[in-house]
Amino acid sequence: MGPDELGWVSGEIDLSRANPARMYDYFLGGTQNFPVDRELADQAIALRPELPRAARLNRAFLGRAVRHAVGAGIRQFLDLGSGIPTEANVHEVAHAADRRCRIAYVDVEPVAVAHSHRLLTGHPRVSVTQADLRDVTQVLADAGVRAQLDFDQPIALLLVAVLHFLPAEDDPAGVVRQYVSALPPGSLVAISHVTTDNLPSEWRTVAGLYQRSATPIHPRTLAEVAAMFGDLPLIPPGLVDAVDWRPEPGAPPQSVSGFYAGVATKP
């Protein structure tokens, strides 16, 4: 893929450094990435060959969380840090369960937004917004978000594999709290977050590689990720490794993914 394919956003793309969203796309087997992304991603894979597997396991958690939300009666999704659309994106999973579902995607990365616009044009129940999730007021007031979501009805807030890009000074728990305050009762909050807990020391070296990317990564402990849910009650099995969050019946056992994952309700 070359910059000329991105139309109106091509001038906004920094090709001097790898971008984690595009690296994640590469891990998942996507094509919306550049040589600079693949170079750093390959260095990470050389250290930990299971990285693409970890990305897929996190993606599988997203699908299970979406299906759980639909099963709980929720038909609206606010996906923050939605990334580059690949197989089994939120709208695909949700619409496979109920075509009435509405999805508002939000991402700051121009490649993710441009590709999303290209793929999702003509989907009346899906919107794509380019915004920084830290600007809660802007996101919640966005015309596309408001066109899709009725804030008087329960919403599933998805923060999957994104909060680890916010440093401590951005107060990620406080950002989550602002979004939760705007959600009506009965809403769900799904979070997954990179951790190096219970992993070999080489994983910390991989996290260090991301310091050379456009958006460094900040792995956190179980307690730090749990704090992002605030006082919201977690549904069983609580905050666990992504592979252990409601695995599909009959699924073979998996080793840890390197992501903590959980879903909470707003009473």
Side-chain angles (χ1 to χ4, degrees):
M1 183 180 69
D4 56 315
E5 297 178 56
L6 298 175
W8 60 273
V9 299
S10 61
E12 303 175 34
I13 300 169
D14 179 5
L15 295 181
S16 65
R17 290 190 295 174
N19 181 278
R22 303 192 304 256
M23 291 171 65
Y24 191 69
D25 175 68
Y26 179 62
F27 290 146
L28 291 171
T31 61
Q32 307 305 308
N33 45 73
F34 294 92
V36 67
D37 308 309
R38 296 190 285 274
E39 180 181 354
L40 192 59
D42 284 337
Q43 291 179 40
I45 292 171
L47 286 169
R48 300 308 301 177
E50 61 269 42
L51 266 173
R53 168 189 169 274
R56 291 192 296 271
L57 292 173
N58 178 71
R59 190 73 170 186
F61 159 72
L62 173 62
R64 296 196 302 274
V66 170
R67 286 189 290 272
H68 172 81
V70 176
I74 292 177
R75 300 295 181 268
Q76 305 185 101
F77 296 84
L78 176 56
D79 187 1
L80 301 177
S82 51
I84 296 169
T86 58
E87 185 178 356
N89 222 46
V90 171
H91 70 282
E92 295 173 330
V93 176
H95 287 163
D98 191 326
R99 294 295 300 176
R100 296 172 296 173
C101 290
R102 293 183 174 274
I103 298 90
Y105 289 123
V106 178
D107 204 289
V108 72
E109 213 289 314
V111 173
V113 174
H115 193 54
S116 298
H117 273 295
R118 187 162 62 239
L119 286 179
L120 300 174
T121 297
H123 283 261
R125 297 181 183 274
V126 182
S127 66
V128 182
T129 296
Q130 184 167 8
D132 189 325
L133 68 87
R134 293 171 296 184
D135 191 341
V136 180
T137 300
Q138 177 190 353
V139 170
L140 295 180
D142 179 79
V145 171
R146 286 287 169 177
Q148 293 299 334
L149 305 183
D150 177 358
F151 281 80
D152 291 325
Q153 298 297 323
I155 294 169
L157 174 66
L158 306 176
L159 290 150
V160 175
V162 66
L163 291 172
H164 44 246
F165 295 117
L166 273 59
E169 53 265 31
D170 284 339
D171 186 16
V175 172
V176 176
R177 189 162 55 247
Q178 290 180 66
Y179 282 106
V180 170
S181 68
L183 299 177
S187 295
L188 294 178
V189 179
I191 294 174
S192 74
H193 194 294
V194 162
T195 184
T196 55
D197 287 359
N198 307 312
L199 292 173
S201 59
E202 292 89 344
W203 281 94
R204 286 186 284 277
T205 305
V206 171
L209 281 178
Y210 273 81
Q211 305 310 307
R212 293 158 47 190
S213 74
T215 312
I217 201 168
H218 305 277
R220 292 187 169 96
T221 65
L222 179 65
E224 289 171 324
V225 179
M228 295 179 180
F229 287 100
D231 296 328
L232 297 178
L234 287 156
I235 68 170
L239 184 61
V240 295
D241 189 276
V243 300
D244 296 321
W245 196 88
R246 302 197 170 200
E248 301 293 346
Q254 299 277 358
S255 57
V256 295
S257 68
F259 288 87
Y260 281 127
V263 178
T265 60
K266 181 174 181 179

